[in-house]
Amino acid sequence: LIHISTDEVFGSLGKNGQFRETSPYKPNSPYSASKASSDHLVRAWHKTFSMPFIVTNCSNNYGPWQLPEKLIPLAINKALNNDQIPIYGDGLQVRDWLHVLDHAEALIQIAEKGCIGKSYCIGGNSEMTNFDTINLICKFLDNIQPKNNSYKNLITFVEDRPGHDSRYAIDSSLMKNEIGWEPKFNFEDGLKKTLKWYIDNQEWSKRMLKESSYNSQ
């Protein structure tokens, strides 16, 4: 069993430092606490019943086919529809962005080379504040699909969500040294490709929004 978890189980970082496999668990929201409990449950099954497992803790994913309620597709679709683009709080929360194809490749290599009973942290080496990420999306849209006013004018700050962690960052050195994996996608290049995918697949996003409970935040 490869149990895919999240960096949120480790809580929130200050300005310095990174999460690694030995980081203590300190979840700050019911969601991240539920993920942390699932990590512990997997380890308990291994200890009690010898179930073979590997746990992975990854940073924020992005790329095509991501549900429209997540930050990057949400911002893209709001901009394309000329709606306000919401940013929680001051927008200075830092996330380490990992392209979905890099994540998939990491999981394949872990399945082939990983050590049973261990954890592996998977990061994209691409730290950005939410505000800078959305500004970059608007900048790319201004060049790709310009209109009279910059898309940046659509950015609006909304009340921060409870338990919103300030910074995530991952040290993927174990993945590099033991598995031989490193992320291939540069964030700006990956974001441009992601942006083009959502421009070309707006009907899919609209259908997902209509068919699910995901709506504007």
Side-chain angles (χ1 to χ4, degrees):
L1 171 70
I2 297 179
H3 175 65
I4 303 170
S5 186
T6 170
D7 53 5
E8 291 185 56
V9 299
F10 303 125
S12 183
L13 290 166
K15 291 184 178 180
N16 301 310
Q18 293 178 306
F19 297 133
R20 51 184 57 86
E21 289 76 10
T22 56
S23 295
Y25 277 54
K26 194 178 179 181
N28 289 321
S29 70
Y31 166 77
S32 55
S34 71
K35 292 293 288 186
S37 66
S38 68
D39 292 8
H40 297 322
L41 188 60
V42 167
R43 289 189 177 90
W45 272 86
H46 172 70
K47 181 69 175 178
T48 305
F49 301 111
S50 301
M51 183 186 73
F53 83 96
I54 294 171
V55 169
T56 65
N57 298 95
C58 72
S59 56
N60 282 45
N61 279 213
Y62 74 101
W65 301 105
Q66 189 171 34
L67 287 174
E69 54 104 10
K70 297 299 183 181
L71 178 68
I72 287 177
L74 175 72
I76 293 170
N77 286 311
K78 290 286 188 183
L80 293 174
N81 291 319
N82 205 36
D83 293 333
Q84 289 188 331
I85 306 170
I87 297 181
Y88 284 124
D90 57 12
L92 298 183
Q93 304 87 0
V94 175
R95 298 294 180 261
D96 173 22
W97 291 102
L98 173 68
H99 194 281
V100 64
L101 293 182
D102 276 333
H103 190 190
E105 179 60 29
L107 294 173
I108 291 169
Q109 292 194 33
I110 287 170
E112 294 173 347
K113 307 173 189 176
C115 181
I116 288 174
K118 292 186 72 169
S119 294
Y120 294 93
C121 286
I122 308 170
N125 296 334
S126 300
E127 287 186 55
M128 294 275 286
T129 68
N130 289 343
F131 181 71
D132 287 342
T133 298
I134 291 178
N135 265 279
L136 194 57
I137 290 170
C138 292
K139 175 185 173 183
F140 289 160
L141 277 173
D142 284 339
N143 292 327
I144 297 170
Q145 201 161 304
K147 60 177 188 175
N148 292 335
N149 297 311
S150 172
Y151 289 91
K152 293 179 182 179
N153 293 333
L154 296 172
I155 294 174
T156 183
F157 293 92
V158 299
E159 183 179 356
D160 206 354
R161 74 181 190 215
H164 200 181
D165 292 327
S166 60
R167 177 173 171 259
Y168 302 144
I170 279 187
D171 176 0
S172 297
S173 57
L174 184 65
M175 283 292 298
K176 178 181 179 181
N177 297 331
E178 187 172 308
I179 304 297
W181 173 90
E182 288 184 277
K184 296 177 181 178
F185 276 85
N186 167 279
F187 181 61
E188 290 200 11
D189 291 340
L191 186 60
K192 285 179 182 177
K193 292 179 180 179
T194 300
L195 183 60
K196 184 167 188 316
W197 188 91
Y198 279 98
I199 290 173
D200 293 341
N201 291 274
Q202 292 179 60
E203 289 304 314
W204 176 84
S205 292
K206 291 176 182 177
R207 188 169 70 252
M208 290 299 102
L209 288 167
K210 184 178 180 180
E211 293 177 357
S212 74
S213 61
Y214 298 118
N215 46 44
S216 57
Q217 297 186 3

